[in-house]
Amino acid sequence: MTGSGQRPLLFLDVDGPLIPFGAAPQQYPTYPASPEPQGTDANPLLARINPEHGPRLAALPCDLVWATTWMADANECIAPRIGLPQLKVVIWPEPADTDEQDERNGLHWKTRALVDWAAGRSFAWVDDEITSTDRTWVSAHHRGHALLHRVDPRQGLTDCDYAALNEWLHKTIGAPPSRGSA
């Protein structure tokens, strides 16, 4: 259970989880946006975002936060496309002296910032670049519950990913898993 009484956070990356990539382009379905959000003509890969992600993400018992290099653009281009409201956005810190050593050690550049942003609050992090090094580091440096959930970037978020998130989030808040959000 979360000790703070707050819902867990879900840090969400865009490229990989929402915009699949890495397979042959013809393997990806495309989805028209209606109405087309402002600025989407700049990135043809946005058509790969399944609009069903919005309701599925919104149904999870957590507070969604963009954790992507898209930063505020995620609220302008992606949130309206999938029916999400404006979400909080992790603002990435300026490079630090520890970055080069972290990279040599295999720690993802987002890991420290997400643990700092969570400030002890339970969180799930959905990304396509998470490794065991990140999991070990978070386990040692974060006092709340954490799920670092790696998504296959060739597929993006799948039913199995939603089921895993749903189960972990419900377990974390001490409630039985919901069948409707999986």
Side-chain angles (χ1 to χ4, degrees):
M1 265 201 252
T2 59
S4 66
Q6 294 178 306
R7 290 172 12 133
L9 298 165
L10 190 150
F11 293 119
L12 182 61
D13 185 29
V14 170
D15 295 310
L18 295 180
I19 300 175
F21 65 89
Q26 63 273 18
Q27 289 183 275
Y28 296 112
T30 57
Y31 306 90
S34 181
E36 192 70 20
Q38 181 181 2
T40 58
D41 56 350
N43 189 333
L45 296 182
L46 287 173
R48 291 183 184 175
I49 300 176
N50 185 337
E52 292 178 14
H53 286 308
R56 292 184 84 176
L57 289 164
L60 294 170
C62 60
D63 294 333
L64 297 170
V65 179
W66 293 118
T68 173
T69 56
W70 283 73
M71 297 179 59
D73 287 344
N75 277 326
E76 300 302 316
C77 299
I78 296 164
R81 184 175 197 93
I82 61 176
L84 289 177
Q86 299 280 301
L87 303 177
K88 291 185 179 181
V89 177
V90 175
I91 305 301
W92 304 112
E94 293 296 318
D97 295 338
T98 58
D99 291 346
E100 190 175 313
Q101 184 62 46
D102 284 350
E103 186 177 343
R104 280 195 301 271
N105 292 338
L107 190 68
H108 194 284
W109 61 270
K110 292 179 182 178
T111 307
R112 286 179 187 268
L114 295 179
V115 168
D116 288 346
W117 208 95
R121 190 169 165 187
S122 295
F123 71 87
W125 172 21
V126 176
D127 204 304
D128 61 304
E129 297 180 340
I130 294 168
T131 67
S132 59
T133 302
D134 300 302
R135 289 183 182 93
T136 300
W137 195 92
V138 169
S139 178
H141 294 89
H142 180 63
R143 65 183 180 269
H145 297 288
L147 171 68
L148 279 63
H149 186 79
R150 186 181 184 284
V151 171
D152 182 342
R154 294 166 298 170
Q155 297 179 352
L157 281 165
T158 65
D159 291 343
C160 290
D161 296 314
Y162 281 107
L165 290 167
N166 183 45
E167 182 177 335
W168 184 86
L169 288 164
H170 278 88
K171 180 179 173 186
T172 301
I173 63 172
S178 152
R179 299 280 181 231
S181 62

